[in-house]
């Protein structure tokens, strides 16, 4: 069975350091990632078996919606679901 999840996030400032301003995992805000680095988040997702698929921009800071969306997938055996 293949599972998918999406992460919507924005950087602090211009994103040069890739510190997370805010992050929503499958639509649920997760404040524990605020101020942490994107690479830490990727490592945590990989440790849970998630594979990064792609990312895309989501508007800009002047609009109601802005940031980026990242998509992940993982394969689980049917007996673990």
């Amino acid at each position: 069975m293949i599972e998918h999840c999406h992460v919507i996030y924005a950087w602090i400032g211009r994103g040069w350091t890739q510190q997370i301003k805010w992050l929503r995992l499958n639509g649920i805000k997760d404040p524990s990632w605020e101020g942490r680095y994107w690479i830490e988040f990727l490592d945590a997702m990989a440790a849970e078996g998630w594979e990064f698929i792609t990312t895309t921009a989501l508007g800009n800071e002047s609009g109601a919606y802005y940031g980026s969306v990242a998509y992940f997938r993982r394969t689980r055996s049917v007996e673990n679901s």
Side-chain angles (χ1 to χ4, degrees):
M1 178 173 88
I2 297 177
E3 295 178 284
H4 292 87
C5 78
H6 67 278
V7 178
I8 303 171
Y9 61 95
W11 305 129
I12 293 174
R14 294 181 180 233
W16 292 337
T17 63
Q18 294 190 347
Q19 282 181 279
I20 298 167
K21 181 176 183 178
W22 55 263
L23 182 142
R24 292 182 177 274
L25 180 58
N26 288 326
I28 300 170
K29 187 173 183 177
D30 187 345
S32 69
W33 287 102
E34 293 174 10
R36 295 175 66 187
Y37 293 95
W38 179 244
I39 194 72
E40 291 177 65
F41 179 77
L42 292 176
D43 287 345
M45 292 294 281
E48 293 180 20
W50 290 103
E51 175 188 2
F52 174 76
I53 300 171
T54 191
T55 189
T56 188
L58 179 65
N60 60 45
E61 209 165 335
S62 65
Y65 301 100
Y66 70 96
S68 299
V69 182
Y71 297 94
F72 296 83
R73 71 174 168 216
R74 70 178 169 187
T75 303
R76 299 197 117 189
S77 64
V78 176
E79 58 199 351
N80 290 341
S81 54

